Amino acid sequence: MFSRTKAILSIESGNPELVQAQLAAFTKQVPLLYFMLVTNTVALTITHFGAAPAYLTLYVPGALYAVSLFRLVHWWFSRNRRYTHEEAIGRLRSTYRLTALLGAGFCAWSLSLYPYGDAYQQSHVAFYIANTVVGCIFCLMHLRAAALALTAIVLGPFTIFFGTSGNPVFTALALNVALVTVAMVFILFTYYRDFGALIRSQKELTARQAETQRLSDENHRLANLDSLTNLPNRRQFRAELETRIARAEKNGTGLALGLIDLDGFKPVNDTFGHGIGDKLLMEVGERLTAFAGQGLFPARLGGDEFGILFEAGACAERLHALGEEICAALQEPYVFNGQTARVSGSLGISILGEAGTTADRLFDRADFALYLAKQNFRGTAVVFSAEHEAEINEQGRIQQALRAADFEKEMHLVFQPMVDADTNGIFAYEALARWESPVLGNVSPGVFIRAAERTGIIGRLTETLMQKALEAAQSWPDHIRLSVNLSTRDVVSNRTVDALLEIIARSGIDPARLDIEVTETAVMRNFALAADNIRRLAERGIGIALDDFGTGHSSLSYVHRLPLTKIKIDRSFIVDIATNELSRSIVKTIVDLSRNIGCVCIVEGMETHEQVAALRGLGCRMMQGYYFARPERLEDTLAYRAPSDTIVNVPARKTG
């Protein structure tokens, strides 16, 4: 009981929200409180002036006025101040104490006036106390402890004083005020309870709003953050690019966009597992973040693709140098639990203004620079330039002409023989596409094949060329094979493979006479789909040749998992084969690998008799190159004769 009473008569310091609400509500009531107190006191002083001693009508009320005025001014000038919880508690407690003191002071002063004057003046004292205290209590309703203290200090003595005065009117008045006091205390408790409930509801609402905002912020963060690397994702990167473009145009500052694609990441995933692949991506993010101090904003755009925003001095030379630093950092080994993985990063950069003024344009130009880096300068940075813009325009003309081309009329094939160096006999022809455009003239295969891939018409072109190649093969002896190349997109297109199988079936050519050549790069882009399509071809009896072997990033496990019948050694290993011991060792390794997995090994790029002799000494037999013949039209294929000095006598190896 005692503890409950103590709690009722105390400031609830353990409820910060309630304390702040009490202080804010009471602050609004302070002017009214002191207005009632002073005006009622002035009125009582006037009615007793001359009847009561001067100290009761001048000095004592003057002191009470001064205290009231001081407190009113103090509250007025601090009404907009924000208080800490501790300061608010201290302010309420001082109000509680001062309420008790002022209540006791005004009550004692007014009762001391009672003996002076007539019955009307005595009635005024009773009216003053009851009226003033009731009004003040209502002003203190937000401070339950202060209101109850004032009730006990003033109305308690008032009831006793007038109830025992012997005057029936005053006795009735005292009884009436006592009953009103009980009702008022009940109202006070009810109001305070509802006030506390309101504050709790507001607190709960605020907490729910805060939680809702937190969840919204978290959702926004997750929607704009890559969960693996903790870098911004594509959405945030695009928004940041738009913002920085607007800022750069407004302030006249520089800006550039960089796109990074990791070279050799898929073999890491397949060799070491996706766990190591994820760790590698995380470390790539850390290495890119290390450049943030140089004004870079890195992001992961998806898969093994990253983006960078360069600000400030974005000149081509500085960007290229910084890009090379980034590529060098990405090329450092990645070591996880004793396992070492290696990848490189190709970087394409476009500069705001020089490459374009919109986000889409910068992305497109950076992507083109990245394409050039991966095709020609893998693991390095390429900054988009005016020359590249001219190349894009030229590619646009080529793509436009390619879309309008009549493949049947404009496309034709030439054939390069593959020779058995032991017999000088031709065992196969490789079909190579040529385009003679009525608008552009002769267009290089390396140009129009890439253009066909970029425009999405490579499948239709491949179907036309396959049809022409099969028709040509019908004029050759049955022992001569036909070799046809598939592009990167062809290998991973189920629709194209379906169409090619149908064309082969209709041609009447035995599928066993046909070889399909695919490159390492084409297979590695989507190994699962490429391997499935290659198996479908192999199941029909078609031979599968892996072209440009040794220049890609595939692992030997991929070679083992494909139904290969031939491996073609890239010409880059042949240039100095007659003089370079390392080149001979690499070729010998590939030859032995081919033999061990049951594949025919074909060497490309033969141009000299010395190269032929060196390769024969390494056990190579099947060859192709300008030394034997350049690509020729169909009518010249049957008239081919190998060079008279092709056959090279190689001493027999010693055994035992």
Side-chain angles (χ1 to χ4, degrees):
M1 182 66 179
F2 174 76
S3 59
R4 178 172 174 77
T5 302
K6 181 179 179 181
I8 291 175
L9 296 176
S10 301
I11 302 299
E12 297 184 48
S13 58
N15 191 336
E17 292 78 12
L18 180 60
V19 169
Q20 292 290 347
Q22 286 177 307
L23 182 60
F26 177 66
T27 299
K28 297 176 182 178
Q29 303 296 338
V30 166
L32 181 61
L33 172 69
Y34 284 109
F35 172 77
M36 288 191 302
L37 188 60
V38 171
T39 55
N40 289 352
T41 302
V42 169
L44 184 62
T45 302
I46 292 174
T47 58
H48 283 76
F49 192 76
Y55 75 91
L56 291 178
T57 56
L58 292 177
Y59 305 129
V60 173
L64 295 175
Y65 296 151
V67 173
S68 299
L69 182 62
F70 174 78
R71 292 295 297 171
L72 177 61
V73 171
H74 176 71
W75 278 96
W76 178 260
F77 283 104
S78 62
R79 67 188 185 280
N80 295 322
R81 178 183 167 186
R82 299 292 299 175
Y83 292 93
T84 65
H85 179 57
E86 290 72 17
E87 291 173 337
I89 291 174
R91 201 158 172 79
L92 292 181
R93 284 174 176 168
S94 66
T95 299
Y96 175 60
R97 289 190 293 268
L98 189 60
T99 297
L101 291 175
L102 285 177
F106 276 99
C107 182
W109 169 75
S110 58
L111 290 177
S112 66
L113 291 175
Y114 181 81
Y116 302 99
D118 55 22
Y120 291 107
Q121 290 169 317
Q122 291 175 339
S123 298
H124 192 185
V125 171
F127 175 80
Y128 166 79
I129 295 175
N131 180 50
T132 302
V133 174
V134 169
C136 291
I137 289 174
F138 273 106
C139 289
L140 291 168
M141 290 190 75
H142 299 94
L143 302 179
R144 183 181 61 186
L148 291 176
L150 184 63
T151 301
I153 291 172
V154 177
L155 293 184
F158 170 84
T159 302
I160 295 173
F161 182 85
F162 285 98
T164 59
S165 64
N167 187 319
V169 174
F170 287 141
T171 301
L173 177 63
L175 180 60
N176 178 251
V177 170
L179 294 175
V180 171
T181 300
V182 171
M184 193 166 53
V185 169
F186 178 77
I187 293 172
L188 173 65
F189 273 96
T190 302
Y191 177 82
Y192 189 80
R193 181 196 64 200
D194 294 343
F195 179 71
L198 175 63
I199 300 305
R200 286 193 298 274
S201 298
Q202 291 177 341
K203 179 180 178 181
E204 293 171 0
L205 178 60
T206 301
R208 286 196 296 268
Q209 289 175 337
E211 178 65 12
T212 300
Q213 185 62 46
R214 186 191 68 78
L215 292 175
S216 176
D217 293 342
E218 179 67 12
N219 289 336
H220 182 270
R221 186 185 71 85
L222 293 176
N224 291 275
L225 193 70
D226 175 59
S227 59
L228 179 64
T229 63
N230 284 326
L231 291 176
N233 62 11
R234 181 180 290 273
R235 180 200 300 269
Q236 185 178 352
F237 185 75
R238 179 63 183 246
E240 186 71 19
L241 174 59
E242 299 278 6
T243 300
R244 295 197 183 198
I245 288 176
R247 186 167 65 208
E249 291 177 344
K250 178 180 179 181
N251 300 332
T253 54
L255 178 68
L257 165 68
L259 295 179
I260 296 175
D261 190 78
L262 299 182
D263 308 310
F265 177 70
K266 285 185 175 62
V268 171
N269 259 345
D270 292 315
T271 303
F272 299 104
H274 288 279
I276 295 296
D278 287 346
K279 290 182 179 180
L280 188 147
L281 292 174
M282 293 167 63
E283 185 162 332
V284 168
E286 293 173 0
R287 295 185 186 186
L288 293 178
T289 302
F291 287 88
Q294 302 186 45
L296 273 65
F297 179 85
R300 184 187 178 205
L301 306 184
D304 60 350
E305 184 182 7
F306 293 79
I308 301 176
L309 295 181
F310 304 83
E311 278 198 314
C315 66
E317 293 77 11
R318 169 60 182 154
L319 287 171
H320 186 267
L322 185 54
E324 289 296 324
E325 289 182 35
I326 293 172
C327 291
L330 297 181
Q331 207 160 5
E332 291 295 319
Y334 298 81
V335 181
F336 307 105
N337 300 326
Q339 295 178 306
T340 301
R342 292 182 180 273
V343 297
S344 61
S346 298
L347 171 60
I349 302 173
S350 60
I351 304 175
L352 180 66
E354 297 179 24
T357 57
T358 66
D360 287 338
R361 184 84 168 189
L362 289 177
F363 261 105
D364 182 70
R365 284 351 188 209
D367 187 63
F368 183 81
L370 174 61
Y371 171 79
L372 293 178
K374 292 185 74 67
Q375 290 293 318
N376 306 311
F377 312 103
R378 190 179 292 265
T380 62
V382 172
V383 180
F384 188 85
S385 64
E387 291 77 11
H388 298 146
E389 187 68 43
E391 185 176 346
I392 286 180
N393 293 334
E394 179 63 20
Q395 284 194 5
R397 293 177 62 242
I398 293 172
Q399 291 173 9
Q400 188 67 26
L402 198 59
R403 288 190 183 96
D406 184 338
F407 292 165
E408 285 290 339
K409 293 181 180 179
E410 300 176 26
M411 295 289 174
H412 68 274
L413 293 172
V414 293
F415 302 89
Q416 188 174 30
M418 300 180 193
V419 177
D420 183 338
D422 281 357
T423 65
N424 279 352
I426 298 172
F427 69 92
Y429 277 105
E430 180 180 1
L432 302 170
R434 297 292 184 266
W435 180 28
E436 189 172 346
S437 168
V439 178
L440 304 175
N442 291 323
V443 182
S444 166
V447 173
F448 76 75
I449 293 296
R450 287 201 301 268
E453 287 185 324
R454 292 175 74 91
T455 54
I457 61 176
I458 186 64
R460 184 162 61 88
L461 175 59
T462 300
E463 293 169 24
T464 300
L465 296 174
M466 176 64 79
Q467 185 71 49
K468 289 178 176 287
L470 292 170
E471 291 173 359
Q474 292 176 349
S475 63
W476 300 332
D478 290 345
H479 69 277
I480 296 181
R481 304 179 64 82
L482 169 64
S483 187
V484 179
N485 293 276
L486 293 191
S487 76
T488 300
R489 292 185 182 272
D490 291 333
V491 178
V492 294
S493 170
N494 292 331
R495 194 204 66 81
T496 298
V497 172
D498 288 340
L500 294 179
L501 289 172
E502 184 177 348
I503 291 171
I504 294 169
R506 290 199 311 263
S507 70
I509 296 290
D510 183 358
R513 288 183 60 193
L514 181 62
D515 289 318
I516 296 294
E517 294 191 19
V518 296
T519 64
E520 286 187 76
T521 303
V523 173
M524 295 315 119
R525 287 188 182 277
N526 189 333
F527 179 80
L529 183 54
D532 183 61
N533 282 328
I534 288 173
R535 290 189 190 96
R536 292 171 59 201
L537 294 167
E539 287 170 358
R540 300 294 182 91
I542 300 170
I544 306 297
L546 188 60
D547 197 11
D548 299 336
F549 185 80
T551 61
H553 286 74
S554 66
S555 67
L556 293 181
S557 64
Y558 284 163
V559 175
H560 179 69
R561 291 157 57 189
L562 293 173
L564 300 178
T565 57
K566 295 178 178 63
I567 290 179
K568 300 185 74 172
I569 301 177
D570 185 71
R571 67 184 68 245
S572 61
F573 297 108
I574 309 305
V575 175
D576 57 354
I577 193 71
T579 58
N580 190 319
E581 186 63 32
L582 178 59
S583 294
R584 288 198 293 270
S585 296
I586 293 173
V587 170
K588 181 64 171 62
T589 300
I590 299 175
V591 171
D592 291 341
L593 169 67
S594 301
R595 184 181 299 111
N596 291 337
I597 63 176
C599 287
V600 174
C601 182
I602 304 172
V603 186
E604 299 179 296
M606 311 303 299
E607 295 186 357
T608 67
H609 178 72
E610 289 74 19
Q611 290 173 336
V612 174
L615 288 165
R616 289 296 293 118
L618 295 174
C620 299
R621 178 177 173 182
M622 307 304 181
M623 303 182 186
Q624 179 183 7
Y626 286 177
Y627 175 76
F628 300 100
R630 291 177 177 274
E632 52 195 13
R633 288 184 175 270
L634 175 63
E635 55 268 24
D636 298 323
T637 58
L638 296 177
Y640 170 80
R641 294 291 183 271
S644 60
D645 58 351
T646 299
I647 298 179
V648 179
N649 293 320
V650 181
R653 297 185 181 180
K654 294 182 180 180
T655 60

